[in-house]
Amino acid sequence: MTLLPETARQIDTQVAQAQLDGRAPSLVLGVVRDGALAHLAAAGEHPRPDVDLQYRLGSISKTMTATLIMQMRDAGRLALDDPLERHLPGTGLGAVTLRQMLGHASGIQREPEGDWWERTAGVDLTTLLAGLTADMIAYPPHRTYHYSNLAYALLGGLLERLSGMPWADLLNERLLSPLGMRRTTYAATEPYARGYVVHPWHDTLREEPRTDTGAMAPAGQLWSTIEDLGRWAAFLADPDPSVLAPETVTEMCSPVVISDLEAWTHGHGLGVELFREGNRVYAGHGGSMPGYIASLAVHRPTRTAVVGFANSYGLRTGHLGALGRQLLTLVLDREPAPVTPWRPAATAPPAELAELTGRWWWMGTEIEVTADPAGDLHAGPVGAPDLRFVAEGPDRWRGRKGDQDGEILTVRRDEQGRAVALDIATFVHTRTPDQEP
């Protein structure tokens, strides 16, 4: 699906202006819709960007580390409320939980001790753990949002201990290969853009180092391309169940902590940043390493995303992220939403399900109940039943969408076995407004 010409023109213009204003050697953004790259906007010539040119992901790597943790959780290998001590004993930080670490609510300080890890060759996990002390807690857990690269290094170390595999190998086996992300790699792999510092007074370029960050790698080591980052955005929007259950990705995109307590425009889920733009919430993450910035913003309800890279720090992470979200809003406002055609059901629902469909009443208010081909019930206002219920047993259903999510629907029957009422979380609906519940 391509964009309308005027939408594409506006995106190209804004990307070109951002490259000029930010003095970026190269800048590239891609629009992803329904799992495919719908538009590429590129500016700059050092080098000329394309879909297969690698840049550094920086902290977008954290979203993948978090996904590996959630895979382990779903497999029963850990629980999110496990203390770190259970899996990495002796750190001195062991009382904090994995959930707190994933959501930057643990209070663990942002960086390890020593030189700035982003520009320094990293140490191995044993050395990193040996340098930890109990006073590396900046705040008590859940006192405030406190971003921590160190927390993600420890989550990566936990993954290595549980799996018996290096973090990079586990990532390739569990995520990159299944999703076809062949150009997302631990180290730079040609063709890749060199990262630069742009001199503030005479516009010359100084190439930045490309370090192996060692045990800090789970916080920001990876390299990727617009095409591959678009695949990752498509996964976050519409997950492949063979990689991670869709409901688990939804859980990741639910807030653990709000960082902006005045306006509630930014927060963090389980490894995923959350941005509120008007009435929409975008899931994603920013990323930076010396000489590189990256952005990822996904609107999950419409399976639309904008991903981007630049190879200098001039735009700064926040500026590129803001541009990406601005362009995502532009696409959502200007582009017609894809319409899924109606198709008739192949077969009628079984009699015991069909009996529950139709109109029901509660306190003079009418609702409608329908059944879908999967055997789920939908209930809500006539013409727009927005609740979904999944069968749990005979005459018992569990809410899985809408304001009755998690609640129970039970069927009440008369002496002849006919369904005469639906009890939805103690609100009893009858077939006519005159019936007593």
Side-chain angles (χ1 to χ4, degrees), residues 334-363:
R334 291 181 171 270
E335 295 289 307
V339 177
T340 302
W342 175 85
R343 292 183 175 88
T347 59
E352 62 272 17
L353 191 61
E355 182 188 13
L356 306 181
T357 62
R359 308 293 173 84
W360 296 84
W361 293 81
W362 174 79
M363 296 286 288

Side-chain angles (χ1 to χ4, degrees), residues 72 100 106 137 157 165 167-168 173 205 233-235 239 245 290 322 335 346 352:
M72 289 284 191
Q100 293 162 354
S106 69
I137 299 290
M165 298 173 63
W167 170 81
E173 179 182 290
L205 303 179
F235 169 77
E335 295 289 307
E352 62 272 17

Side-chain angles (χ1 to χ4, degrees), residues 374-386:
D376 296 342
L377 287 179
H378 299 259
V382 174
D386 55 355

Side-chain angles (χ1 to χ4, degrees), residues 153-187:
L154 296 175
L155 290 170
L158 180 158
L159 288 165
E160 292 195 2
R161 292 284 174 86
L162 274 182
S163 68
M165 298 173 63
W167 170 81
D169 293 347
L170 184 68
L171 180 76
N172 189 64
E173 179 182 290
R174 298 285 185 87
L175 292 185
L176 304 183
S177 291
L179 294 176
M181 296 171 64
R182 62 177 183 81
R183 287 281 288 148
T184 302
T185 56
Y186 185 92

Side-chain angles (χ1 to χ4, degrees), residues 212-395:
D212 180 339
T213 57
M216 293 295 294
Q221 172 69 30
L222 296 175
W223 296 72
S224 193
T225 66
I226 282 289
E227 186 170 42
D228 266 18
L229 190 54
R231 287 193 175 98
W232 184 241
F235 169 77
L236 292 177
D238 188 16
D240 179 349
S242 68
V243 175
L244 194 64
E247 56 268 27
T248 300
V249 177
T250 298
E251 182 183 359
M252 293 175 68
C253 296
S254 301
V256 172
V257 63
I258 300 296
S259 64
D260 175 7
L261 296 179
E262 294 299 321
W264 288 43
T265 60
H266 177 263
H268 222 96
L270 297 168
V272 180
E273 279 191 274
L274 303 170
F275 306 92
R276 184 168 65 81
E277 301 279 339
N279 291 325
R280 299 185 181 109
V281 174
Y282 300 153
H285 216 288
S288 68
M289 289 293 279
Y292 300 93
I293 51 176
S295 69
L296 164 68
V298 182
H299 188 238
R300 301 189 71 229
T302 60
R303 301 186 302 280
T304 308
V306 171
V307 296
F309 295 112
N311 62 333
S312 77
Y313 219 71
L315 280 170
R316 299 196 298 277
T317 311
H319 288 190
L320 183 65
L323 175 63
R325 295 189 295 276
Q326 176 181 322
L327 296 181
L328 179 53
T329 299
L330 174 71
V331 171
L332 295 174
D333 286 346
R334 291 181 171 270
E335 295 289 307
V339 177
T340 302
W342 175 85
R343 292 183 175 88
T347 59
E352 62 272 17
L353 191 61
E355 182 188 13
L356 306 181
T357 62
R359 308 293 173 84
W360 296 84
W361 293 81
W362 174 79
M363 296 286 288
T365 301
E366 187 179 24
I367 69 165
E368 181 177 64
V369 175
T370 64
D372 67 24
D376 296 342
L377 287 179
H378 299 259
V382 174
D386 55 355
L387 310 178
R388 180 169 66 91
F389 294 88
V390 177
E392 281 197 339
D395 287 343

Side-chain angles (χ1 to χ4, degrees), residues 96 105-109 136-146:
V96 299
S106 69
I108 294 175
Q109 70 183 43
M136 288 183 170
I137 299 290
Y139 291 97
H142 285 293
R143 173 69 58 82
T144 186
Y145 172 81
H146 189 75

Side-chain angles (χ1 to χ4, degrees), residues 3 37 50 70 84 98 117 196 251 345 386 403 406 413 431:
L3 302 183
L37 192 64
D50 60 35
M70 299 306 287
L84 177 64
L98 309 187
W117 69 273
Y196 299 102
E251 182 183 359
D386 55 355
D403 62 12
R413 298 185 179 275
R431 273 300 189 186

